Amino acid sequence: MSGEQSGHMKVTRRTFLTGTAAAGVGVLGLDLSATAAYAREKAAALRRLRITTTICPYCAVGCGVLVMSGKKNGTSAVANVEGDPDHPINGGRLCPKGSGLYQLANNEKRLRKVLYRAPGAAEFEERDWSWAASEIARRIKSARDATFTTRNAKGQVVNRTMAIASVGSAALDNEECWLLQKFLRSLGLVYVEHQARICHSSTVTSLAATFGRGAMTNHWIDIKNSDCVLIMGGNPAECHPVSMRWVLEAKEKGATIISVDPRYTHSSAMADIFAPLRAGTDIAFLGGMIKHILDNDLIHRDYVVNYTNAAFLIDGEYRFDQAAGVFSGYREADRRYEKASWQYQVGADGEPVKDPSLRHPRCVYQLMKRHYARYDLDTVSGVTGTPVEALRRVYEAYAGTGAPDKVATIMYAMGWTQHTVGTQCIRTMAVIQLLLGNIGRAGGGVNALRGESNVQGSTDHSLLFDILPGYLKVPTASQPTLGAHNDACTPKRLGRLSANWWGNYPKYFVSFLKAMYGEAATGENDFAYAWLPKPDDGVDCSWLSIFDEMYRGNIKGFFAWGQNPACSGANANKVRKALARLDWLVNVNIFPSETGWFWQDKGLGLEPADIKTEVFVLPAAASVEKEGSITNSGRWMQWRYKAADPPGDARPDAEIMNMIYRELKELYAAEGGAFPEPVLNLKWDYFRGDRFDPHALAKDVNGYFLANAAFPEQGTKFKKGERVPGFAYLRDDGSTSCGNWLYCGSYPEAGNMAARRRREAGGIGLHPEWSWSWPANRRILYNRASVDLDGQPYDKETPVIRWERGKWVGDVPDGGWPPMNVDPESAKYPFIMKPEGHGRLFAMELADGPLPEHYEPLESPLTANPLNGRMLNPAVKKWEGEADAHADYGSTEFPHVCTTFRLTEHWQTGVMTRHAPWLLELQPQVFVEISRELAEEEGIRRGDQVLVSSIRGTITAFALPTARLKPLMVGGRKVQQVALPWCFGWLMPRDGKGGDSANLLTPNIGDANTMIPETKVFMVNIKKLDVAGHPEAAL
Amino acid sequence: MGRACLVDTTICTGCRACQVACKAWNDLPAEKTKFRSKGDGYENPPALSGRSYTRITFHEILDDGGNLDRSVFVKRQCMHCEEPACVSACPVAALQKVKGESGSAGAVVYDVEKCLGCRYCMLACPFNVPTFEWDKTVPKIQKCTFCADRLEAAEPANPQVNDQPLAGESLERFEDTQRMPACAKACPTGAIEFGEREDLIAEARRRIEEKKKQRGSWQYVDHIYGEKEVGGTSWLYLANVPFDKLGFRMDLGERPYPEYTKLALDAVPPAVIGLGAALGAIHWISNRRAAAEEADGPETPTGREGEQAEAASEPEKPTSGEGQRAV
């Protein structure tokens, strides 16, 4: 709902840019109006404009934007878009995508009508909303009723349907994400997924396993506080352009900037040190750094002993078998680990056994030392292809920050996450940061650069099959009752001084159920726990599995909501074929996409008449055409205002959900059907008529007291109906509701915290009163590790918090307990989300090992792993169907390592940016970067058309030989790397000359922990095409 | 006094926000482009034109061994000369240098309505900047305006954001950034700094000297391009590789170009200065430049600005001086 309708703002007409051409004449005797013919018109128009703020809808830097809008033909329209000069992150600056936002709002290619494609039809037909909503509701009900499963094969209550799946969307506002998960789960869907699975799922799992929370630890501005910035597995200059202002500010103050990448990128151009590596070998590279740190005793000892599990003793049975390439507990039969031998030794007093001297052979520190002994410079260089000298330079520059007053940070993205070892790759860096004492510190942390404007929020609000809002867990079939679920998911405190914050799990879970089902959730019915759909234990229901099931014809109905899987899905040929096996597809977007139009794809090898899938394309509002919040990579929840009306029949996503839900509810009320309770009893009071009120939903996410409550210890009292000020007040008895405990406190009685716009004066860049940051407005996670045992900051120049006169000052402390030396009895360790309160160098909950180990990708130029006896991560799942081919190790047919990358000018699959003419002008057509050496060998010149092929598909691209890519010496022989941007698609530009998605080549295999696809490395061949478009015959 | 921009190429990431921000503010249409078979990187569109007032050129600088030393990105647009040749060449005073205390002082602006389309300015410009609207039926000259319309903007009355009045530092930030060129405002890293020309020269000098103190660090080339070239320009550049490797003309000298024109025109009474006289002056400049291009050697003119020379070799975009002569 817009400000006008909600009454939160009143529209004013104001004067903008009163300076005109005419004024120029008077002063200068010079007719400035002539500077451009339109100037007078524009100045006149801008004078009538209203200015509202929004946050850029592209990457997750979260830049502030001013939108100047006015009335045009009776509807409000965007007239000009510029950076918000007040915004602390971007200070008015914008990248080319943000600078071109005007063309997102004003674009003739925007979807304006509901489109329907009947089975076998060759064209879309225009329809209206009421028809579409009732037809879609009818199809959902039919599929749901026909396939609803009350009990699984084991007889466990599951209340689900596996015949409908949904992907999307990080492009939705927080309020819409939360509403969508509510709607989908009421239907019984377990196939609930979105972008986060395929971009940063490995980040969430890795960082949660190490530190306790799965998010970027610090935030964008804080990068300026660093003494050394490692850019590896990411390319912020091109993918998060505005973030580079903070990198360069650090550099200006003397920080060393390091870039490690298969390609020399624009980020490399800003770096002091560049080191190339073979794609997919980051664990080997970083494992070598761990060895360098341990061998040279460069650790921040005080920090390591007190705040990490380095001193903890591990079970005597734990070992790594180098010859077999597996950790203890491996079961070959089902490719899984038994993790009993990875656990701590616990004393009779219930305390974990520790050796603070770090000398005990079973302590984590010594186990690590032994594990990484194999990662010497020569071995690492042989794996990564990085010259030894370059390795040494990077290690020395980075590891030099183990000194207590020095701090280093890492900026990474898909180059680390999208691998079969993605989770462990990030873990390697997390381990390094703990060893150097860089977590919790200003200028430190592990900074996952998230790529969609609200992918942090869409993850927090759980559009993923295995989590519920706030990283609560999706109940599984083996948990028949709320009690069983809570028991399985609530960790036990390990050690007297551990806070074990997840011990509060039941409070958050019950409060969530109250937000889902309202008064229908009661103590008597287990708070409607049974209504949540439950997947079977151990069964993956993530992205790759959805498309595999769809390919097999097991999925009838599919929502692609603000997503374009036909281009973003790994092994996109399989995805595109799978779409043709659906009964119906609902595609919600602001532009036409290769997904909604898949049945017109000539590459599919099918005629439209042979494709029976019904397609509903629903036109959505763009970000400036609705109101709500999004959460950036640094966890800042920022409010966006409505500036303009959506074009034609386009509607905000929440209203689209509402139209379908209302129809469906009516159908169930009138006709009954399979398990109607969750559909009929969903708490759904966020609409005034058919208009969405994002404030009402944001308040529900924040949470309410459902009964009067008194807290004598804090001296506070609350009335029934008041909003909860923070998650510490949530209860497990049904007396509080809270849609997402992590966002509790974002919309208290004091108002909408996300809309705050007060900048910090001075300070280290925390800006505590600008928007709101989860959790509890804390800007730097684990910040109690930034101080010594007396509560005094390791780094005096950029202190995050400090214990002063009996209290903490600075950032919101990560747990308010006093420092260890101040009060040894009531103090708590700083990593409060872990049961033992310590950062985990050794992490026992992961699927593929407690310490990161290098394995080769699914496809590799090598035939043996130089570091251990196993090529592929032993805990990954391999699909072996007809569409799941992969090249043999050392294949001569596909001899070159290929990686994919993103362009500054395009975003994701390019649906939004390929439709923006200013951006398409900058990057119009797909190309492939190759080394000059490879170009010479293959007789390829710049601009030649080449065929790039993997075992799964081919694409045609223009060749771009460049000195920025060099062949590497790997395993004693020369290996070529080539690189493809993945932002192109056959549908747009309309002439078909833009090319297609690099994902036609990528493999559908996932990481062992999260099933994030390995889209960042695979093997290809490359051949020049002759004039007729055929590969040139070898002479 | 005059406004200027300092482009520090050492912190330009080549993101090309400037190109889009320019189009957005100036309502310029996108060009239909294709993957370019020339150049070092992703450059597009291929040349400055009536639809593209600015563009970034990409440069891969190789070391002696032929390996990549670094990538450098350079913003191109009208240099807004202190004493512009185009202004002196224009027979109808459609082009003017803004002087005095005006907000846009420093800009070289033009009046499309006065423009005859004679293209003398194109020939006169030492940087080959003004371009011709080849695709229009009544073509005019177009070039970067320095966003003079932004720079001239008077204070807005009671600006409000989200219906809250702006005040204090917020108001200052708003007004400061509204009154700078769109490209300078957008630049994510501050590689384009807007300010008074004198101040920016001092700042550039400070950066050069500051780096000299950091031993072992990379160094700026000890030269502020545009400080003195052709009598000085309002766009100034810093670089850490020699400017000639980045396509900058090093043969222009420090003498303002109009002085050459003046030589040719001085003998003629003002009353008879008209199209013919201007044409003669242009012919003189044009010949001089053609001669310069054929010469060789480090101290003599060695060639045309990189991007224009390259554009000329792409026949589908006849936007350069060469292309024009061929028409």
Side-chain angles (χ1 to χ4, degrees), chain B residues 13-62:
Chain B
T13 62
C15 78
R16 301 191 282 181
C18 49
Q19 289 187 223
V20 177
C22 175
K23 295 214 163 187
W25 178 258
N26 292 302
D27 284 348
L28 298 174
E31 296 192 39
K32 176 106 179 89
T33 57
K34 56 186 187 181
F35 177 81
R36 297 194 63 224
S37 54
K38 294 188 173 59
D40 277 344
Y42 309 152
E43 280 177 35
N44 242 330
L48 298 180
S49 74
R51 296 170 166 205
S52 301
Y53 296 166
T54 187
R55 60 189 288 263
I56 295 279
T57 57
F58 289 51
H59 306 269
E60 290 179 4
I61 309 297
L62 304 182

Side-chain angles (χ1 to χ4, degrees), chain A residues 239-370:
Chain A
C239 307
H240 305 85
V242 172
S243 72
M244 284 307 282
R245 82 180 272 229
W246 301 111
V247 176
L248 290 168
E249 186 166 329
K251 188 182 183 188
E252 174 71 23
K253 292 192 287 187
T256 306
I257 314 300
I258 305 170
S259 161
V260 180
D261 202 289
R263 301 182 306 141
Y264 182 99
T265 66
H266 291 205
S267 300
S268 316
M270 297 294 111
D272 300 291
I273 301 173
F274 169 70
L277 89 170
R278 173 167 63 102
T281 63
D282 304 69
I283 291 178
F285 190 107
L286 296 172
M289 194 188 302
I290 294 178
K291 177 175 165 60
H292 175 83
I293 292 167
L294 297 178
D295 285 357
N296 297 289
D297 196 21
L298 298 171
I299 63 170
H300 182 169
R301 182 165 286 267
D302 206 41
Y303 185 107
V304 167
V305 171
N306 291 316
Y307 299 149
T308 78
N309 68 0
F312 287 54
L313 270 47
I314 300 298
D315 188 277
E317 296 297 310
Y318 164 79
R319 70 180 49 78
F320 178 73
D321 181 341
Q322 185 190 350
V326 296
F327 294 89
S328 48
Y330 187 63
R331 297 187 316 223
E332 193 84 53
D334 55 358
R335 300 179 66 83
R336 285 187 192 210
Y337 281 102
E338 283 287 352
K339 300 172 193 168
S341 64
W342 305 356
Q343 307 303 315
Y344 295 134
Q345 295 185 24
V346 179
D349 58 355
E351 293 286 321
V353 184
K354 300 181 208 169
D355 173 21
S357 76
L358 306 182
R359 290 200 197 99
H360 194 287
R362 297 309 296 175
C363 82
V364 165
Y365 178 85
Q366 292 296 336
L367 294 176
M368 284 182 66
K369 218 167 178 174
R370 284 204 290 285

Side-chain angles (χ1 to χ4, degrees), chain A residues 393-523:
Chain A
R393 278 188 78 195
V394 174
Y395 293 171
E396 285 174 0
Y398 198 87
T401 61
D405 62 341
K406 293 286 176 201
V407 67
T409 195
I410 166 69
M411 300 170 78
Y412 78 92
M414 309 300 89
W416 278 2
T417 63
Q418 293 176 336
H419 293 283
T420 41
V421 291
T423 302
Q424 295 290 1
C425 185
I426 300 152
R427 271 270 303 146
T428 323
M429 196 68 213
V431 164
I432 289 170
Q433 288 296 71
L434 284 175
L435 290 173
L436 297 174
N438 285 337
I439 299 297
R441 308 268 303 272
V446 175
N447 291 313
L449 312 186
R450 307 210 62 165
E452 294 109 355
S453 61
N454 194 35
V455 71
Q456 185 61 55
S458 59
T459 309
D460 299 336
H461 293 306
S462 79
L463 288 166
L464 292 161
F465 94 90
D466 50 347
I467 56 170
L468 294 174
Y471 305 92
L472 302 173
K473 292 181 177 146
V474 160
T476 55
S478 67
Q479 299 158 4
T481 63
L482 176 61
H485 175 73
N486 282 339
D487 285 350
C489 300
T490 311
K492 300 277 180 292
R493 181 194 311 272
L494 192 55
R496 191 172 51 88
L497 296 182
S498 171
N500 189 34
W501 197 265
W502 271 122
N504 295 303
Y505 186 96
K507 300 171 188 170
Y508 307 152
F509 197 84
V510 171
S511 297
F512 162 71
L513 289 172
K514 289 296 293 179
M516 283 288 282
Y517 306 113
E519 290 176 3
T522 64

Side-chain angles (χ1 to χ4, degrees), chain A residues 595-609:
Chain A
T595 297
W597 271 249
F598 82 92
W599 46 277
Q600 291 185 359
D601 178 4
K602 292 194 170 56
L604 205 54
L606 292 171
E607 290 301 315

